[in-house]
Amino acid sequence: SNHYGAAVKAFGNWLVKARRAADNPFRHLTRVNARVDVRHERRALAAAEFAALVAAASAGTTFRGLSGPDRAMLYTVAAHTGLRASELASLTPASFDLAATPPTLTVEAAYSKHRRKDVVPVHPDLAAILAPWLAERAAGVRLWPGTW
């Protein structure tokens, strides 16, 4: 609600500046203390919860352009690397170097939050899961296309 309040106040300020209103009718609105009303506390998933999520995704049907097994792999890579959605969406099979020690994946500068080429280490257990999955993917094609 604080974001909506700020937008409404900005609109009211515009009304006054554009001489469409004598004063801002929203100036009296106050912000709500978001720390008092915590409806969804952010937390990490427990191992069992994450395993259930991956299992459900793997068994699921195609959703937003991704098959169930592809979504399961997306969730697994996201959880193990901490990459953002735009960074994950940019990955191709060539982004992964699973033969390196340690295995790595590379996010090109154009897609990185920092606007520089990022090389992220991949846990060997994740590399073992990724290798057969990547072998089935066409070179040069994004791994997780769609509107997810």
Side-chain angles (χ1 to χ4, degrees):
S1 66
N2 287 337
H3 297 291
Y4 289 121
V8 167
K9 282 184 176 181
F11 175 67
N13 290 335
W14 174 82
L15 289 173
V16 173
K17 186 175 182 181
R19 296 184 181 192
R20 295 177 185 256
D23 66 340
N24 185 345
F26 310 109
R27 73 174 185 275
H28 69 281
L29 295 177
T30 58
R31 296 178 61 100
V32 176
N33 185 351
R35 292 181 185 161
V36 174
D37 185 19
V38 179
R39 295 178 189 214
H40 301 286
E41 186 174 338
R42 291 180 180 234
R43 63 177 180 82
L45 290 176
E49 292 172 321
F50 183 70
L53 171 70
V54 171
S58 186
T61 59
T62 299
F63 180 71
R64 293 194 176 190
L66 292 179
S67 69
D70 288 346
R71 275 197 332 271
M73 189 58 67
L74 171 65
Y75 298 159
T76 303
V77 172
H80 284 86
T81 62
L83 295 177
R84 296 168 172 265
S86 60
E87 294 169 334
L88 289 163
S90 74
L91 298 178
T92 65
S95 302
F96 293 85
D97 185 3
L98 302 180
T101 306
T104 61
L105 72 84
T106 302
V107 177
E108 295 300 326
Y111 303 102
S112 171
K113 175 185 175 185
H114 311 298
R115 295 292 179 224
R116 67 173 186 258
K117 187 175 186 177
D118 290 330
V119 178
V120 179
V122 174
H123 193 279
D125 293 342
L126 177 59
I129 296 169
L130 272 169
W133 185 81
L134 285 172
E136 299 173 0
R137 304 294 174 263
V141 177
R142 298 204 181 203
L143 295 173
W144 297 291
T147 60
W148 52 271

